[in-house]
Amino acid sequence: KEDDSAGDSAGSGGGKKITLGFSQVGSESGWRTANSESVKSAAKEAGYTLKFSDAQQKQENQISAIRNYIAQKVDVIAFSPVVVTGWDAVLKEAKAAKIPVVLTDRSVETSDDSLYVTLVGSDFTDEGRRAAKILEKVIEKAGLKGNVKIAQLEGTTGAAPAIERAKGFKEVMDAEHKDDWKIVVSQTGDFTRAGGKQVMAAFLQSNPDINVLFAHNDDMAIGAIQSIEAAGKKPGKDILIVSIDGVKDGFVAMSEGKINAIVECNPLLGPQLMEVVKTVHDGGTVERWIKTKEGDFMQDQAKAALPTRKY
Amino acid sequence: MTTTTRWRALTRHNLFWPVAVLVALLLVNIPFTPDFFAIHMTDGHLYGSLVSIVLFGSPLILVAVGMTLVIATGGIDLSVGAVVAITGALTCSYISDQKDQDALAGVLLAMGLGLLAAVVCGLWNGFLVARMGIQPIIATLIIMVAGRGVAQLITDGQIITINSEPYKLIGGGYWLTLPFSIFVVAAVVAVTVALTRRTALGLLVESVGGNAEASRLVGIRSMRIKIMVYVFCALCAGIAGLMISSNTSAADGNNAGLWIELDAILAVVIGGTSLLGGRFSIGGTVVGALVIQTLTTTIYTIGVPTQTNLVFKAAVVIVVCLLQSPKFRAKVFGARAKTTAPATPAAAPAEPAPKMEVS
Amino acid sequence: MAEPQPVLEMTGIVKEFPGVRALSGVDFRLFPGEIHALMGENGAGKSTLIKVLTGVYTLDGGTITLDGRDVRIGSPLQAQHAGISTVYQEVNLCPNLSVAENIFIGREPTRAGRIQWKRMRKEAAEMVDRLGLDIDVTAPLSSYPLAVQQLVAIVRSVGHGDSDGSGSGTKVLVLDEPTSSLDRDEVLELFRLMRRLRDEGVAILFVSHFLDQIYEICDRMTVLRNGTLVGEHLVRDLDQVQLIELMIGKALDQLEELHDHQLHADVGESLLTAEGLGRTGGIEPFDLDIKKGEVVGLAGLLGSGRTELARLLFGADQPDAGKVTIGGKQVSMSAPNDAIGAGVAFCSENRKTEGLVPDLTVRENIILALQAARGWTRPIPTAQRDELVAKYIKALDIRPANPEARVGQLSGGNQQKVLLARWLITQPKLLILDEPTRGIDIGAKTEIQKLVVSLSEDGMSVLYIAAELEEVLRLSHTIGVLRDRKLVARLTNGPEITPSKILETIASGEQSGEQQ
Amino acid sequence: MSTTTRTPTTPDKVEGGTPSKAARLLSDRRLPVLVTAALFLAMYIAGLSRYQNYGFGDSQVFLNLFIDNGYLLVAAVGATFVILSGGIDLSVGSVIGFTTMLTAWLVQDVGLPLLVVIPISLGVGAFGGFLMGYVIHNFEIQPFIVTLAGLFLFRGLCLVISKESIAINDSAVSSLAETRVSLGLGDLSIGALVALVVLAAAFYILHYTRFGRRIYAIGGNEQSALLMGLPLGGTKIAVYTMSGFCSALAGLLFMLYIQSGDPLHAVGMELDAIAAVVIGGTLLTGGSGYVLGTLFGVLVLGLIKSIIQFEGTLSSWWTKIATGVLLCAFILIQRVMTTRKKA
Ligand SMILES: Nc1ncnc2c1ncn2[C@@H]1O[C@H](COP(=O)(O)OP(=O)(O)OP(=O)(O)O)[C@@H](O)[C@H]1O
Ligand SMILES: Nc1ncnc2c1ncn2[C@@H]1O[C@H](COP(=O)(O)OP(=O)(O)OP(=O)(O)O)[C@@H](O)[C@H]1O
Ligand SMILES: [Mg+2]
Ligand SMILES: [Mg+2]
């Protein structure tokens, strides 16, 4: 099916329109959907033909999608890998077919660095580190004295963001707060609000003295806030909350004073990706890792930032 | 003598083992959370672990109750999770479009809309299974796959957050100091029990599940009954969907009710209903669902490391099933029972033994 | 006959089920080269004894010796290895497999582990042929009626010895009511086979409720009552009356009276008319007229289409031609509901697959049809229900008389009675009974026949199918004769109609008697 | 009764009707497989005409169906055994995931050679299946539940080995993974070839060994099979062992396919396997079906996936909806075609 043939004019340098094959992980969260939308609209704006496929969180689907892109002879392949490992074979096929590959969102482990051109995206471990750093500020601001008892709401067990965010956070904690910070409980909330709420309710029963919550994403934090309130405590005051992502609802909660700080993980990397695709297609060189523009937000910045939140 | 016979009668009761496991699981928490059974007033409502088990377990109980009837007819419904998602998505997106999200009429209408969608899903499942004769697992797989897509289509792939006090009541609110969802569950369970045991529906369902051909030949309109149970199951899933979305005041098309079908089926089986169809027990299902929810809560509170959650769950499931298996009990406890009570068989009278316990 | 060593000896056998003591201290001996009848009323414990012997149930007490050695048989497989072949009461074969496979499964001819299908089919065809059956052995078993399935089961168990080639062969052959659904021809064929095996030295245990058959073929018998041993006798030492008295445990008075009963004459106007009703592959289009209070019997050989005819009248199968009028109104026979709504009841010959819901209780099974007719919204009031159920349990003498017992745990005969009760309770206008006396003991059989007579006197019409021609003749006003799945004749009963006359009609396929 | 005269030579036994009826019934049993195969072809041709310009017609695209679904085929063959015997195995996906983790861990972290690791993994999978079969048979617990516990257990064990995925850089693995066997029309991977061999072996076992026929018998009627003196327990346990083995083998193929172990690999793949078996015309109640049908079931699922990828414009949720709709259309058409023939 030939579509979008009307948008030809915007193509690169008047030549043939670039065809980009993009394999998305899935649509497991609002963040991911915003990411997909960003890629789609940016591709349209840039006038590329976009072949988009959703892998439903399965690596095998992504691999077969990439194979199909190779069979269809697209110009550039981009994908957000479901997992970091296991891409060598299919990337070698792409290389053999002389199709450049751009990673988005996260990196892969390969034996041969030439298998992909560049990575556009953030780094989950770094987000964990930033979360720990900003927690320092939050604690200082709130004037919390004594031991910091942290409850951690992890993402889906085995999922990379969950593992790496926890890793980054722990790294900083072990290095700088070995004595005064302690993660007293840690469980998976599956990145969902319902999960966050349920797990937090149980935490508050078994460890009523928790005073800090670190959630691997905003949704779990929002769920946890409800449980904290149900237990008669004040989120943001009795229990300080730091989370990652920066979705709109997170900012709303932060502007209400219920979340103390958010580490942003920006999904809107479509435009950046399109630029990279064009450069790569035209044979230009790009950096190995193009970081997305992201910020850390404290409560006082929330009100101002809220209107700019799109997703 | 009388105590031993009473004890034996008790252990023979079909709810004995599930309840025993439930109690055991609750007790496991004590060393980890000493005031596990404590319940106190907070903000004008009761608060405590037991309350939250019931609160968070409500959706599972609802889905499992619906699932029980489907399983009793010899079917299975994999689509409940998707129905949960669709109902929540539709209701929340309707409410979020309203100017005044607190308007009761709007909320009711939204809920009606959501439940209607659930009923449509149920009708479709029933149609495929009863009318077209497609195997239930595959017939309901269709909505399981497509339904989540539909839910995400409705929510645009985002989590829709709403801010509606009346809607919050169903799944997250309190009434008479208790979670409102307890009342919803109680009502649904009561209606189901009444529907199946006060009318002849239960008998007909068991008959269809027990021997479909014989049921046809006694003139039971099994097609109608099957469609009915699938619709009922979807409706229960729909109510659970309202509850889940109301609990967090948000509709998550992708994650709401994810894998709830497996837990529901597990609850039904722990409750003593056979997956082959026939005899069913609503009471057993409720206990089964509580066992699963307690297990989940226990995992959270006793500090099982996340990576061993599933191993722990598997171990408990295996233990429950082994305890419920008469064969296992005979093999493990049988030897001991024989040595401790040799008098009982000898003393058994020649006349017919006492009437069996009837539920 | 000098007392040789028994091949099988069971002593002090005890078997308990929760709430029931099915066998209490039964002794049983079986000698090589004899055909030994196991007798007793429904629920006496015959099948249980057989299942204990073959390892289906574990025994709770007693010993079994085979060839003088103590044995513990833990499963039917072990029983087979020990040389015991069994045909159980309910047909126990795999409906999804072909006839040939059912005969051979577990011991298929193989070469280097590979099944030789051709050889297996050929041998199966020969074996089936030897019993006088002419069927396609590659067709799935489920495509044949119960009687054929029963024969296949017999072929399987008998064939076990010969084709094994192992030399050991069958020492003991157990047949639990194998003749209950066979007609005369097949029975004779079976008997011929049994005699041959007996002469080869096989010990045969035979269960049947047909006393004539017992007297025809058996040498010795063991009588059970209520799970206890009543006695062991040589068949020639006991006459039928004595035997029955042993079985039921009291003097016998009313059994004979049916033999010379008069068919009542007040047959009313037409109740059901079928015109050109038929189904391709089932039965050719036929006309049939059943009057109010009339008993119509169907006669025919095995597989002649009696069941098919009955099923069409009930809407169990959908006819593809013809119409049915009941009470002056045309009824579309698209589903059983239509027929039930018009007052037709159908008691299937195959109680296991088409009749009972084994997991439900006796009470629930009995009220099922009535409840279905009332619809789910109108449950039968508890008091009325219990009264009705109690009444029919008593009337049909269902044992155990516990309405809470699971039907699946009842003895075969008692299950049949539950099925009957289910339909009697709906008080239909036309009652179709397909082999209602299958597996029912002699006392109950008479009861059921008396019941049919009294029902028809009260104005109920009955369509009666039974393997025994005498039974049909005794009860029916009119007899429909079927042959090759075609209704070939309708005979009005009278003194000149005898079993041989009917057999002649079947053989010639023509209406030799007077036209209706 | 005793007075009955011998039947005069009855010209008995229906001749004409029987064979044709039998033939009809026989063909009925194979019909679902034929219909599935025909529908698969129809779907493929439809895909051809729609995506011709995108290289759908390339024979490699067809062969990719085997390469990309080889592991699923092996898993589905295992599931076919279980389903034919009247059971069900929900642990398939988890065992696959577990095998990838175990092999990756053994090869990468422990440093065992692949040749040692393969039998270990297969053995562990088969042993897992054996345990489940043992519990199912000996304690008479419903297979659905036992294997559900297996699902939790093996997934849990994956995470116990490691929460993170493990890449395999073993040269033996990558050379195996990258080996392609040319068929003239295109290439097949080792995984695809193994899958085809497994399929052939399964066909032979099911139709030409006593064990295979026992599986059908047990699926047809377990109680009867027992009374007919078939070794019920042994067969059932063997069936689950076999399924465990197939799952582990599928796990190895999957490991080859993606050259890594990850605790979240193959989540929910049991449903794909069961769906493939059922689409292939096997009855979930057991006793009826063909392993060839399973092949077409797997191919149909793979084709649906390919078509959606070729379409290339579907957003995430439309992908799910389209999968459901295609599946539904397929099942309905299959159903209508098989019933019309019967009437
Ligand atoms: N599985 C079982 N569970 C409980 N009770 C049983 C079971 N099987 C048989 N019984 C009981 O054992 C008794 C003997 O039954 P059995 O089947 O041996 O009778 P039978 O002599 O074969 O009768 P019939 O002539 O009707 O076949 C009956 O009272 C029956 O209800
Ligand atoms: N040679 C045969 N012997 C027995 N049955 C056969 C034979 N040939 C065909 N049949 C089967 O007989 C069936 C019709 O039998 P039906 O059940 O109506 O007979 P029936 O007269 O009721 O016999 P039964 O005494 O077994 O109840 C057909 O479906 C056909 O498959
Ligand atoms: Mg019996
Ligand atoms: Mg018949």
Side-chain angles (χ1 to χ4, degrees), chain C residues 51 56 76-77 80 88 91-98 101-102 105-110 112-115 117 132-136 138-140 143-144 156 184-186 188 192 212 281 301 303 308 352 468-470 483-485 499-500 503-504 506-507, chain D residues 1-26 29-30 84 204-232 286-288:
Chain C
K51 287 185 174 169
V56 180
L77 181 63
Q80 265 179 28
Y88 295 93
V91 173
N92 281 293
L93 296 173
C94 294
N96 57 326
L97 300 183
S98 70
E101 275 196 89
N102 267 295
I105 189 135
R107 55 203 158 88
E108 296 94 337
T110 53
R114 182 192 159 108
I115 295 179
W117 282 97
L133 263 177
D134 175 27
I135 51 174
D136 177 2
T138 59
S143 62
Y144 291 104
R156 173 181 169 79
R184 188 66 196 152
D185 261 2
E186 275 70 28
L188 289 177
R192 201 169 304 142
D212 298 332
L301 296 178
E308 303 263 348
K352 193 172 161 192
E468 270 181 298
L469 277 182
E470 283 83 352
R483 177 195 144 104
D484 292 354
R485 294 193 250 144
S500 48
L503 285 173
E504 249 167 60
I506 293 174
Chain D
M1 173 103 205
S2 47
T3 55
T4 322
T5 46
R6 268 303 309 263
T7 322
T9 46
T10 32
D12 53 12
K13 322 311 174 199
V14 202
E15 294 276 281
T18 325
S20 72
K21 187 179 177 183
R24 208 190 66 199
L25 276 158
L26 203 70
R29 285 198 289 172
R30 289 186 193 157
L84 278 178
Y204 182 85
I205 291 176
L206 281 175
H207 296 282
Y208 290 101
T209 66
R210 289 184 178 180
F211 170 66
R213 301 321 294 171
R214 282 209 296 269
I215 296 177
Y216 277 89
I218 289 175
N221 189 333
E222 195 174 308
Q223 194 57 33
S224 296
L226 178 75
L227 292 180
M228 284 161 99
L230 301 181
L232 190 62
S288 164

Side-chain angles (χ1 to χ4, degrees), chain A residues 168-189:
Chain A
F169 187 86
K170 194 159 179 301
E171 207 177 286
V172 173
M173 193 177 89
D174 285 350
E176 297 171 22
H177 299 277
K178 217 166 169 47
D179 309 316
D180 51 339
W181 289 14
K182 185 165 187 282
I183 295 182
V184 285
V185 273
S186 181
Q187 251 307 331
T188 170

Side-chain angles (χ1 to χ4, degrees), chain C residues 188-411:
Chain C
L188 289 177
E189 210 61 60
L190 174 65
F191 283 1
R192 201 169 304 142
L193 185 83
M194 282 165 66
R195 289 200 186 93
R196 202 190 81 213
L197 289 171
R198 173 184 63 190
D199 296 342
E200 288 167 10
V202 176
I204 299 178
L205 170 55
F206 181 69
V207 179
S208 171
H209 287 294
F210 298 102
L211 298 189
D212 298 332
Q213 294 178 0
I214 303 294
Y215 280 88
E216 189 176 338
I217 187 120
C218 295
D219 308 311
R220 187 195 292 267
M221 63 172 90
T222 296
V223 182
L224 297 181
R225 188 167 68 229
N226 266 337
T228 53
L229 176 69
V230 176
E232 192 202 71
H233 304 269
L234 286 178
V235 171
R236 61 180 123 84
D237 292 348
L238 273 185
D239 66 25
Q240 290 209 13
V241 177
Q242 286 171 307
L243 171 60
I244 293 169
E245 284 179 0
L246 277 184
M247 277 162 56
I248 65 176
K250 59 180 177 228
L252 167 91
D253 42 3
Q254 2 71 318
L255 264 184
E256 292 305 305
E257 79 189 32
L258 245 184
H259 279 290
D260 39 35
H261 98 107
Q262 287 292 307
L263 287 171
H264 71 93
D266 50 343
V267 169
E269 74 275 27
S270 167
L271 172 74
L272 176 147
T273 353
E275 284 168 64
L277 199 64
R279 175 184 166 92
T280 32
I283 187 159
E284 281 180 38
F286 62 89
D287 297 334
L288 187 68
D289 179 60
I290 302 176
K291 302 204 174 59
K292 216 160 167 291
E294 183 184 31
V295 180
V296 177
L298 292 185
L301 296 178
L302 193 132
S304 56
R306 293 166 294 183
T307 300
E308 303 263 348
L309 189 153
R311 286 175 68 90
L312 279 191
L313 285 183
F314 185 64
D317 294 326
Q318 285 186 29
D320 45 25
K323 61 175 189 183
V324 179
T325 328
I326 300 176
K329 267 191 287 235
Q330 187 175 339
V331 181
S332 87
M333 281 290 176
S334 55
N337 304 349
D338 300 322
I340 293 170
V344 183
F346 171 62
C347 220
S348 165
E349 63 176 342
N350 198 342
R351 60 175 171 251
K352 193 172 161 192
T353 57
E354 294 173 359
L356 298 166
V357 187
D359 272 343
L360 296 188
T361 62
V362 170
R363 176 195 291 137
E364 289 166 325
N365 267 289
I366 290 182
I367 62 162
L368 204 52
L370 184 60
Q371 186 60 65
R374 290 169 65 112
W376 66 272
T377 47
R378 291 173 48 228
I380 308 166
T382 322
Q384 189 191 341
R385 181 191 70 183
D386 291 349
E387 190 190 327
L388 267 174
V389 169
K391 184 172 136 202
Y392 279 92
I393 287 184
K394 186 146 183 286
L396 295 175
D397 190 21
I398 295 172
R399 276 184 250 173
N402 172 14
E404 298 293 338
R406 273 186 56 228
V407 157
Q409 298 174 341
L410 259 52
S411 81

Side-chain angles (χ1 to χ4, degrees), chain B residues 18-80:
Chain B
V19 170
V21 169
L22 179 60
V23 172
L25 266 179
L26 287 172
L27 291 178
V28 163
N29 280 285
I30 298 273
F32 299 92
T33 314
D35 56 349
F36 187 76
F37 289 99
I39 291 180
H40 26 247
M41 277 301 233
T42 309
D43 284 351
H45 58 78
L46 292 177
Y47 177 78
S49 293
L50 294 183
V51 178
S52 35
I53 287 177
V54 179
L55 175 66
F56 291 121
S58 299
L60 180 61
I61 298 179
L62 285 179
V63 174
V65 163
M67 184 74 79
T68 310
L69 293 190
V70 169
I71 287 180
T73 62
I76 202 157
D77 189 349
L78 294 183
S79 72
V80 283

Side-chain angles (χ1 to χ4, degrees), chain B residues 194-259:
Chain B
L195 215 65
T196 50
R197 297 305 178 201
R198 293 275 148 227
T199 74
L201 191 61
L203 174 64
L204 300 191
V205 163
E206 287 177 338
S207 167
V208 169
N211 188 339
E213 177 62 7
S215 302
R216 188 178 79 92
L217 291 180
V218 296
I220 295 174
R221 292 166 207 267
S222 50
M223 208 187 276
R224 245 187 243 178
I225 292 203
K226 279 190 183 167
I227 294 180
M228 232 153 86
V229 296
Y230 280 95
V231 169
F232 181 77
C233 180
L235 192 64
C236 286
I239 300 175
L242 295 183
M243 233 176 227
I244 290 176
S245 62
S246 139
N247 187 289
T248 51
S249 283
D252 183 342
N254 196 63
N255 293 308
L258 199 60
W259 302 121

